[in-house]
Amino acid sequence: MQAGSIQGRVAIVTGGGSGIGRATALGLAAEGWTVVAADIDEAAAQETARLVGAAAGQASALRVDVTRDEDCAAMVAQTLTRHGRLDAAFNNAGIAGYPLRTVDHSPAQWQRVIDVNLSGVFHCLRHEIPAMQRQGGGAIVNTASIMGLRGAFGGSAYCAAKHGVVGLTKAAALECGRDGIRINAVCPGYIDTPMTTGEEAIFSDKLLDAGLQRAAIRRLARPEEVADMVVWLCSPRASYVTGASFTVDAGVTAS
């Protein structure tokens, strides 16, 4: 499929202000998509939109807190008002978990991780799916994690949320196939983003190194390497792909 064949199509990217979200916004725009970069950090979303524009793409920015269902409803409504349609969505907004044993989590810490990383995806789907049903189809990609496929010492809340995203993706895909809507998940491994290497990182240097030692390709991934998978899943090139979870993890889950 040539990039020109998706001219005029519109995609939402949550968590679009940095990391994988920003890389995906840029990747979609490079293939001709109009992108709505949504993030709780409005300035970061606006910077993504600026970068897309500087690369001759089309983008707008929205402030969205995915833990608020009303924010997700407004995100979809504003996208339809501004652009007239919604063809794809990358539900990517997320936070790192707390590096704590299960019994050491407070209820508030547990709930915060679930609210953003799992319920946030649900809120987005709840409003994206009807918009796509009305226009006869679309594609959705949810960000899970390799921690949605395996366990991690000291990562119970994060693992629970990301396992939930994988299950939610499968169920929603089965529900929406006849509506022409494909729903998949991407499961990144160790990516060079603030969540992995910045101040908010869940992994210590020791744990991160141990994880990379299990990989076939022993380096951190660039956000663009995950974005390429998401762009493909959003495109008609993946027209027969739904209900699947794709690892982008250098072989960690194969070890």
Side-chain angles (χ1 to χ4, degrees), residues 7 18 27-28 48 55 67 86-87 89 103 142 155 168 199 207 227 246:
Q7 291 292 336
S18 64
L28 288 166
T48 295
T67 69
L86 176 62
D87 300 283
V103 296
N142 301 320
L168 175 58
E199 292 182 1
L207 285 175
F246 291 84

Side-chain angles (χ1 to χ4, degrees), residues 123-183:
H123 294 313
C124 290
L125 290 173
R126 213 172 79 81
H127 300 287
E128 294 159 355
I129 288 170
M132 291 180 182
Q133 287 172 325
R134 289 191 293 269
Q135 71 183 34
I140 299 172
V141 182
N142 301 320
T143 295
S145 167
I146 58 171
M147 302 311 171
L149 304 172
R150 61 188 302 164
F153 185 94
S156 59
Y158 190 81
C159 288
K162 294 303 187 177
H163 273 76
V165 170
V166 170
L168 175 58
T169 297
K170 292 176 181 179
L174 291 173
E175 295 164 358
C176 296
R178 293 185 180 181
D179 298 315
I181 302 170
R182 297 182 298 100
I183 305 176

Side-chain angles (χ1 to χ4, degrees), residues 32 102 120-121 151 231:
T102 302
V121 174
V231 171

Side-chain angles (χ1 to χ4, degrees), residues 141-238:
V141 182
N142 301 320
T143 295
S145 167
I146 58 171
M147 302 311 171
L149 304 172
R150 61 188 302 164
F153 185 94
S156 59
Y158 190 81
C159 288
K162 294 303 187 177
H163 273 76
V165 170
V166 170
L168 175 58
T169 297
K170 292 176 181 179
L174 291 173
E175 295 164 358
C176 296
R178 293 185 180 181
D179 298 315
I181 302 170
R182 297 182 298 100
I183 305 176
N184 293 288
V186 64
C187 298
Y190 301 107
I191 317 300
D192 191 5
T193 67
M195 190 178 294
T196 302
T197 61
E199 292 182 1
E200 62 184 90
I202 185 174
F203 303 106
S204 66
D205 290 343
K206 182 178 180 180
L207 285 175
L208 183 58
D209 183 65
L212 289 174
Q213 291 304 310
R214 293 197 299 271
I217 304 170
R218 292 184 178 177
R219 63 169 175 83
L220 294 173
R222 302 186 310 278
E224 292 78 10
E225 292 177 296
V226 181
D228 285 343
M229 174 64 78
V230 179
V231 171
W232 177 74
L233 287 170
C234 288
S235 79
R237 298 190 296 271

Side-chain angles (χ1 to χ4, degrees), residues 21-143:
R22 175 172 287 175
T24 300
L26 289 163
L28 288 166
E31 289 212 351
W33 293 80
T34 295
V35 178
V36 177
D39 203 288
I40 196 168
D41 184 340
E42 187 174 8
Q46 290 173 342
E47 175 62 9
T48 295
R50 186 195 69 78
L51 290 169
V52 169
Q58 299 293 320
S60 58
L62 289 174
R63 184 192 183 280
V64 175
D65 179 351
V66 297
T67 69
R68 295 169 53 86
D69 187 71
E70 57 267 38
D71 275 24
C72 297
M75 173 181 70
V76 172
Q78 290 181 50
T79 297
L80 296 175
T81 297
R82 290 182 185 181
H83 304 293
R85 57 189 298 115
L86 176 62
D87 300 283
F90 180 33
N91 298 323
N92 169 69
I95 59 172
Y98 300 90
L100 300 169
R101 294 171 183 262
T102 302
V103 296
D104 294 326
H105 276 82
S106 70
Q109 289 170 325
W110 170 272
Q111 196 61 53
R112 176 63 177 163
V113 176
I114 299 298
D115 284 347
V116 178
N117 292 348
L118 177 55
S119 297
V121 174
F122 162 73
H123 294 313
C124 290
L125 290 173
R126 213 172 79 81
H127 300 287
E128 294 159 355
I129 288 170
M132 291 180 182
Q133 287 172 325
R134 289 191 293 269
Q135 71 183 34
I140 299 172
V141 182
N142 301 320
T143 295

